[in-house]
């Protein structure tokens, strides 16, 4: 007699934390306060919140808001990632009161806010340098040093072998939640800081309120007890190769998606992006050179499972890197991207198939006869369904899809026309063409 209830044979979830309910259909928006407006202030951000809400943004990630180091500063304004004090706001952006008001205004719009947190290093003139010099790593010459093997002259690396440093940093992370009611963090180079530090941080923050934690890292380990979401650089690199160097779509399906659905825990979110403050031009070429290809890969990242990211300015067709150490405001012009993003995000909010992680549907292949050029898949959850067909190539193609499992009536997301799907779907696709069909119970 076999007792299948024996504990050792029961499937166990790898992920032991639970992502807050409000993340289930959420989109992310990375906001650079300095460049977001001519004023470069918290108050100026507040004025654009209704626009972001309308775009379909749910979680605003603010790039670091702390005072910036002056010693060995880069450029005239310095890098946000050179933090001078973890308990203060950058006076260029406004006061504590202004920041409180911004957080409140974000919440009033039904959105959430996470802060960018730099735990690995500080500026040379951070208050800790004089108070606790022993908390910093030393070179062989016994001098302060940048993150090892990196050439960042404006920062020096902390040493997490000190329990007191861990307590200090955890208290600082708790401070912004307690005093300002923020909703979580995006953690800079998170895997360069010991994982046991983050796992404890998560439990202490969750005691205050349910938080959303995003790691700038790709490590699966971080999902177990610390982070809800990690970066999807691998996907970015593959989509880049397809759009710029015309790699086969099999690079995406066989080298990436097969592993993604088999290896990555369903509860863990990958942050999918085309653009962020580190990656915002392709091979030094402005995005405008790849307009149609860029739109096609953007549609893929928004339809794929994981949490999608928009970098401020993308919705206005931003096609260059913003200056990092100088003032360089975004040119807010009207652009087709606004309609594209808001259309997809509106669908994401109402169609459970597109929800994030365990809340949404797995990405399942639909077979076609042009697998080198065309990606086709279905996602389904609780009767909600989305079918996606994208020509990820520079050539027109007539593709035949096996839709025998997906027969029925759908709405085309972009034309809004009704589409009847039979056993087989045959589509004449222009280069970089995409079709999204959906139905909601």
């Amino acid at each position: 007699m076999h007792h299948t209830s024996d504990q050792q044979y029961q499937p166990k979830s790898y992920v032991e934390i639970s992502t807050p309910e409000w993340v289930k259909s959420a989109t992310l928006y990375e906001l650079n306060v300095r460049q977001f407006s001519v004023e470069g202030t918290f108050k100026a951000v507040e004025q654009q919140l209704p626009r972001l809400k309308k775009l379909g943004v749910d979680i605003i990630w603010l790039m670091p808001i702390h005072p910036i180091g002056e010693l060995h500063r880069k450029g005239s304004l310095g890098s946000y990632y050179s933090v001078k004090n973890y308990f203060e706001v950058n006076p260029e952006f406004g006061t504590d009161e202004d920041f409180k008001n911004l957080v409140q205004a974000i919440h009033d719009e039904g959105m959430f806010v996470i802060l960018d947190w730099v735990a690995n290093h500080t500026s040379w003139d951070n208050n800790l340098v004089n108070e606790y010099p022993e908390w910093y790593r030393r070179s062989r010459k016994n001098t302060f040093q940048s993150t090892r093997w990196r050439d960042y002259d404006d920062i020096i690396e902390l040493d997490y072998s000190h329990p007191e440093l861990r307590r200090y940093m955890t208290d600082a992370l708790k401070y912004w939640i307690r005093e300002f009611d923020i909703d979580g963090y995006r953690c800079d180079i998170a895997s360069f800081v010991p994982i046991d530090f983050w796992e404890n941080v998560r439990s202490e923050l969750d005691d205050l309120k349910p938080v959303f934690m995003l790691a700038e890292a790709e490590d699966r380990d971080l999902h177990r007890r610390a982070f809800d979401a990690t970066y999807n650089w691998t996907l970015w690199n593959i989509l880049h190769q397809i759009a710029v160097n015309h790699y086969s779509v099999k690079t995406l399906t066989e080298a990436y998606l097969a592993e993604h659905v088999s290896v990555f825990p369903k509860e863990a979110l990958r942050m999918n992006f085309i653009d962020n403050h580190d990656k915002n031009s392709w091979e030094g070429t402005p995005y405008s050179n790849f307009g149609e290809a860029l739109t096609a890969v953007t549609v893929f990242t928004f339809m794929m499972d994981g949490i999608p990211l928009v970098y401020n300015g993308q919705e206005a067709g931003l096609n260059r890197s913003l200056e990092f150490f100088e003032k360089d405001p975004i040119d807010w012009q009207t652009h087709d991207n606004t309609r594209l993003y808001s259309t997809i995000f509106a669908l994401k909010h109402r169609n459970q198939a597109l929800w994030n992680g365990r809340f949404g549907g797995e990405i399942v292949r639909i077979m076609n006869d042009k697998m080198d050029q065309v990606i086709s898949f279905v996602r389904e959850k609780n009767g909600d369904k989305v079918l996606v067909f994208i020509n990820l190539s520079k050539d027109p193609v007539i593709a035949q899809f096996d839709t025998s499992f997906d027969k029925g009536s759908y709405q085309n997301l972009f034309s809004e026309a009704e589409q009847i799907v039979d056993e087989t779907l045959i589509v004449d696709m222009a280069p970089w063409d995409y079709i999204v069909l959906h139905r909601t119970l």
Side-chain angles (χ1 to χ4, degrees), residues 350-404:
R350 67 177 187 271
N351 190 302
Q352 292 184 40
L354 294 182
W355 286 4
N356 300 327
R358 66 189 162 88
F359 300 104
E362 184 182 316
I363 179 167
V364 176
R365 178 157 71 164
I366 291 176
M367 302 304 280
N368 70 61
D369 63 349
K370 299 287 189 298
M371 294 290 218
D372 280 341
Q373 293 163 280
V374 177
I375 187 160
S376 42
F377 60 89
V378 57
R379 294 182 63 194
E380 193 170 2
K381 184 82 173 195
N382 297 338
D384 288 0
K385 207 164 181 178
V386 176
L387 275 55
V388 181
F389 311 92
I390 309 178
N391 179 7
L392 287 177
S393 79
K394 62 182 189 331
D395 302 309
V397 62
I398 295 174
Q400 181 170 322
F401 303 93
D402 173 6
T403 45
S404 50

Side-chain angles (χ1 to χ4, degrees), residues 69-135:
E70 284 148 63
L71 189 60
H72 307 309
R73 170 178 281 197
K74 284 183 185 284
S76 58
L77 296 176
S79 163
Y80 304 128
Y81 295 89
S82 177
V83 172
K84 194 175 174 189
N85 190 314
Y86 288 103
F87 287 89
E88 291 177 2
V89 300
N90 185 341
E92 294 164 48
F93 297 165
T95 62
D96 280 12
E97 202 54 40
D98 294 337
F99 182 59
K100 269 201 176 105
N101 293 340
L102 174 58
V103 173
Q104 184 63 53
I106 291 170
H107 289 160
D108 289 347
E109 286 285 356
M111 296 188 288
F112 296 83
V113 58
I114 62 173
L115 284 192
D116 207 324
W117 197 263
V118 188
N120 169 264
H121 50 260
T122 75
S123 70
W124 283 81
D125 47 4
N126 188 291
N127 50 316
L128 300 178
V129 176
N130 288 326
E131 289 172 48
Y132 303 102
E134 69 279 9
W135 289 1

Side-chain angles (χ1 to χ4, degrees), residues 86-308:
Y86 288 103
F87 287 89
E88 291 177 2
V89 300
N90 185 341
E92 294 164 48
F93 297 165
T95 62
D96 280 12
E97 202 54 40
D98 294 337
F99 182 59
K100 269 201 176 105
N101 293 340
L102 174 58
V103 173
Q104 184 63 53
I106 291 170
H107 289 160
D108 289 347
E109 286 285 356
M111 296 188 288
F112 296 83
V113 58
I114 62 173
L115 284 192
D116 207 324
W117 197 263
V118 188
N120 169 264
H121 50 260
T122 75
S123 70
W124 283 81
D125 47 4
N126 188 291
N127 50 316
L128 300 178
V129 176
N130 288 326
E131 289 172 48
Y132 303 102
E134 69 279 9
W135 289 1
Y136 288 86
R137 283 192 177 278
R138 300 299 176 112
S139 70
R140 294 191 295 168
K141 298 177 188 164
N142 200 27
T143 55
F144 294 126
Q145 60 175 6
S146 170
T147 305
R148 287 157 294 164
W149 295 85
R150 291 260 170 103
D151 298 320
Y152 300 144
D153 313 328
D154 59 338
I155 54 101
I156 49 178
E157 191 174 19
L158 290 162
D159 178 356
Y160 276 80
S161 66
H162 297 277
E164 301 80 9
L165 167 61
R166 291 177 176 227
R167 180 188 295 269
Y168 173 91
M169 196 62 77
T170 307
D171 287 345
L173 285 153
K174 286 157 76 172
Y175 170 79
W176 294 93
I177 291 176
R178 253 197 342 258
E179 300 300 318
F180 296 85
D181 199 26
I182 65 152
D183 303 295
Y185 290 97
R186 175 267 184 191
C187 298
D188 186 61
I189 56 171
S191 51
F192 286 45
V193 175
I195 192 166
D196 57 342
F197 166 76
W198 292 123
E199 289 179 347
N200 177 67
V201 162
R202 177 58 181 253
S203 68
E204 291 205 38
L205 297 185
D206 270 342
D207 285 344
L208 299 177
K209 70 188 283 192
V211 290
F212 172 70
M213 298 289 282
L214 164 64
E216 188 200 11
E218 211 163 12
D219 312 66
R220 183 176 182 265
D221 310 355
L222 291 168
H223 285 282
R224 189 163 194 168
R225 295 197 191 98
F227 290 94
D228 302 283
T230 50
Y231 272 47
N232 209 341
W233 281 301
T234 305
L235 181 64
W236 187 93
N237 288 324
I238 291 170
L239 292 173
H240 174 255
Q241 294 288 16
I242 288 172
V244 178
N245 299 322
H246 309 302
Y247 276 40
S248 161
V249 166
K250 288 193 168 161
T251 327
L252 173 59
T253 51
E254 297 187 9
Y256 176 75
L257 285 171
E259 189 172 343
H260 168 77
V261 298
S262 306
V263 174
F264 223 77
K266 183 72 185 139
E267 304 85 355
L269 305 180
R270 322 262 8 224
M271 183 185 77
N272 301 326
F273 59 92
I274 291 302
D275 198 350
N276 65 48
H277 67 268
D278 284 330
K279 295 248 189 230
N280 43 19
S281 60
W282 288 15
E283 302 283 347
T285 318
Y287 278 150
S288 45
N289 298 20
F290 306 106
E292 290 177 323
L294 193 65
T295 304
V297 295
T298 299
V299 170
F300 175 77
T301 60
F302 288 174
M303 290 292 160
M304 147 110 193
D305 62 342
I307 186 164

Side-chain angles (χ1 to χ4, degrees), residues 38-83:
V38 175
E39 302 85 344
T41 60
F42 295 135
K43 281 199 170 99
V45 171
E46 239 180 280
Q47 289 159 17
Q48 292 202 51
L49 293 178
R51 176 181 72 76
L52 295 181
K53 178 67 177 176
K54 202 171 151 205
L55 187 65
V57 170
D58 300 298
I59 303 171
I60 294 174
W61 145 23
L62 295 175
M63 285 170 68
I65 60 154
H66 303 303
I68 293 168
E70 284 148 63
L71 189 60
H72 307 309
R73 170 178 281 197
K74 284 183 185 284
S76 58
L77 296 176
S79 163
Y80 304 128
Y81 295 89
S82 177
V83 172

